[in-house]
Amino acid sequence: MPLFNQKVSPGLSIADDTDILHFLNPDNSDKYVDARTALKNSDIYSIVFQLSADLANGKLKADAPRAQGILNNPTQTSNAHAFWQSMFAQLLLGGECFAYRWRNQNGTDMTWEYLRPSQVTPFLLEDGSGLIYNINFDEPEVGVMEAVPQSDLIHIRLLSQNGGKTGISPLSALVNELQIKDKSNKLTLSALGRSIVAPGILSIKHGGLLSDEDKASRSRKFMKQTSKSENGPIVIDDLEEYTPLEVKSNVAQLLNQVSWTGAQIAKVYGVSDSIINGQGDQQSSIQMMGNAYVKSLARYAKAVTGELNNKLNANINLDLRSAIDPLGDSYATTISNLRKNGTIAANQAAWLLKESNYFPEEMPEASTPPVPISTSKDDKSTEGGDNDDKD
């Protein structure tokens, strides 16, 4: 076989337009934001923690017992909540996350191993029929696996520019904002470090031109006098005048000049800025903000269930009710309204509340059918004190 017909690599490297645009910029200073560095930003940490925790608080439900079993216990090195929150956090930071499926000879999933993006290198098959991966495991006994088929890997992606092969990190849209905030923090620290901190100014009148040593000596004596007075009044003669300094708002303005970066970060992740700073739109109600947050979680949930449905060959849904309504009061109110409107019967409402664990399973059955309490003024059954003369 001729030399130029030999296959050197098991697949084609996957590239996007950004690699071509930054080919002449080897530094890539404006292309990549390290996730570890980004987590040092309090706004990014707050959003990533809340979104990943709420997604992990949801319940992954599958219609197949084997799929449900691996979803409930995906790993042996940690609990299920920690595993899924780590997966979702990496998804929010890097735009994609990975987990290797350790399976037995029958193809049944035994355990999943979380993989960092730096451990995985995806390739496209030369005929374009699928993806393969080179994986560098931390375990020395496993080492490097080459040409791993995509069926052996859980690969969840967010926004993509190459047909869904790889994901784009949301941090790539925050490069300018993070650079501005970093420069502002350095400017603020420099301004505070070079600022003069003094409780006041002691002016000496008719004293002529005093040397620096005399001025420093008088300052030390004045401070000593202040400490010995034990918070009492300070006595000075007519040749001196003491003026306390006032705190100006310049420093506060300097600290708050880039507060808009929090809103920019929240916009990139599709949530309201009230999630990170507790303010947001003061005209919006709590229910409106809650509905918008649920829509944000649903966007990420579809990316997760889409990959799991494909790899596990099951119908999987991510129930977010426990995440957005941990006590179940809103769900119970909805069921109660459906019962009052006649949409469902009383036994159906009780069954739904038991299925959601709002009512305990051991709850005894009602001895008599419950009667709704009427609040109408025309309902004579709720009125008392009337005597029936005919009786």
Side-chain angles (χ1 to χ4, degrees):
M1 181 180 295
L3 181 61
F4 53 82
N5 286 334
Q6 293 183 357
K7 294 183 179 180
V8 179
S9 61
L12 304 176
S13 61
I14 300 176
D16 54 17
D17 294 337
T18 57
D19 295 327
I20 301 176
L21 293 175
H22 293 277
F23 176 75
L24 298 179
N25 183 15
D27 294 335
N28 287 332
S29 58
D30 57 345
K31 176 186 175 183
Y32 180 73
V33 177
D34 184 19
R36 186 180 299 274
T37 303
L39 285 178
K40 295 180 181 179
N41 184 291
S42 59
D43 294 334
I44 295 180
Y45 180 90
S46 176
I47 288 182
V48 171
F49 174 77
Q50 293 186 57
L51 288 175
S52 62
D54 290 339
L55 289 172
N57 290 338
K59 296 180 180 179
L60 287 168
K61 297 181 179 180
D63 58 356
R66 291 185 178 180
Q68 188 65 53
I70 192 63
L71 293 176
N72 294 338
N73 298 287
T75 180
Q76 298 178 350
T77 56
S78 64
N79 57 74
H81 184 273
F83 174 83
W84 285 116
Q85 185 173 6
S86 180
M87 289 281 291
F88 297 148
Q90 183 58 56
L91 178 66
L92 295 170
L93 290 171
E96 55 186 356
C97 59
F98 305 89
Y100 183 76
R101 304 171 60 188
W102 291 100
R103 298 187 287 179
N104 57 17
Q105 297 179 352
N106 297 327
T108 304
D109 291 87
M110 303 299 294
T111 182
W112 290 356
E113 182 175 350
Y114 170 81
L115 298 173
R116 301 181 302 274
S118 58
Q119 297 178 260
V120 183
T121 304
F123 295 94
L124 177 66
L125 291 175
E126 294 184 355
D127 58 356
S129 60
L131 298 178
I132 54 176
Y133 301 86
N134 289 349
I135 304 176
N136 185 12
F137 288 88
D138 292 333
E139 299 85 351
E141 296 182 356
V142 181
V144 179
M145 281 188 179
E146 295 183 351
V148 177
Q150 60 181 0
S151 60
D152 291 344
L153 205 69
I154 301 295
H155 185 188
I156 306 175
R157 305 94 154 170
L158 291 182
L159 180 65
S160 175
Q161 284 185 309
N162 48 27
K165 300 180 184 67
T166 57
I168 300 175
S169 172
L171 299 179
S172 60
L174 296 173
V175 175
N176 295 331
E177 285 80 1
L178 294 181
Q179 288 181 353
I180 292 175
K181 191 163 189 177
D182 183 60
K183 298 294 185 182
S184 175
N185 291 339
K186 293 180 180 179
L187 176 61
T188 303
L189 293 176
S190 177
L192 293 176
R194 296 180 180 179
S195 61
I196 299 176
V197 180
I201 299 176
L202 180 63
S203 301
I204 299 178
K205 301 179 179 180
H206 309 291
L209 296 177
L210 299 180
S211 62
D212 295 340
E213 291 78 7
D214 295 337
K215 294 177 182 178
S217 176
R218 181 57 189 137
S219 176
R220 289 191 297 269
K221 290 180 181 179
F222 183 78
M223 293 301 298
K224 185 177 181 180
Q225 179 186 358
T226 304
S227 61
K228 287 185 177 182
S229 64
E230 297 180 356
N231 297 328
I234 304 300
V235 180
I236 56 178
D237 53 25
D238 293 338
L239 299 178
E240 296 177 340
E241 181 182 357
Y242 176 74
T243 304
L245 293 179
E246 297 180 357
V247 178
K248 301 296 182 180
S249 60
N250 296 337
V251 177
Q253 293 177 359
L254 183 63
L255 294 174
N256 295 328
Q257 64 181 351
V258 289
S259 59
W260 57 271
T261 55
Q264 295 295 104
I265 295 172
K267 180 177 67 174
V268 169
Y269 281 97
V271 297
S272 173
D273 58 345
S274 61
I275 299 298
I276 57 179
N277 57 25
Q279 296 178 358
D281 187 4
Q282 300 296 333
Q283 302 297 327
S284 300
S285 63
I286 297 178
Q287 184 177 3
M288 292 175 60
M289 291 188 295
N291 293 336
Y293 185 67
V294 172
K295 292 180 180 178
S296 301
L297 289 178
R299 298 187 188 102
Y300 297 109
K302 288 297 182 181
V304 175
T305 56
E307 174 69 10
L308 296 179
N309 289 335
N310 184 29
K311 296 299 174 62
L312 298 181
N313 297 323
N315 185 17
I316 300 173
N317 295 317
L318 180 55
D319 187 4
L320 298 173
R321 186 181 296 116
S322 59
I324 60 179
D325 186 21
L327 298 179
D329 294 338
S330 299
Y331 181 71
T333 302
T334 303
I335 297 301
S336 177
N337 292 333
L338 292 175
R339 171 67 185 93
K340 291 179 181 179
N341 296 334
T343 306
I344 59 177
N347 61 336
Q348 292 176 324
W351 181 84
L352 290 174
L353 293 176
K354 284 185 179 181
E355 286 293 317
S356 63
N357 295 327
Y358 191 82
F359 286 164
E361 292 292 338
E362 296 80 9
M363 183 177 179
E365 298 292 337
S367 57
T368 57
V371 179
I373 300 176
S374 176
T375 58
S376 176
K377 295 182 180 180
D378 297 335
D379 190 358
K380 297 182 180 180
S381 63
T382 60
E383 297 178 359
D386 294 339
N387 295 324
D388 193 354
D389 296 335
K390 296 181 181 181
D391 293 339

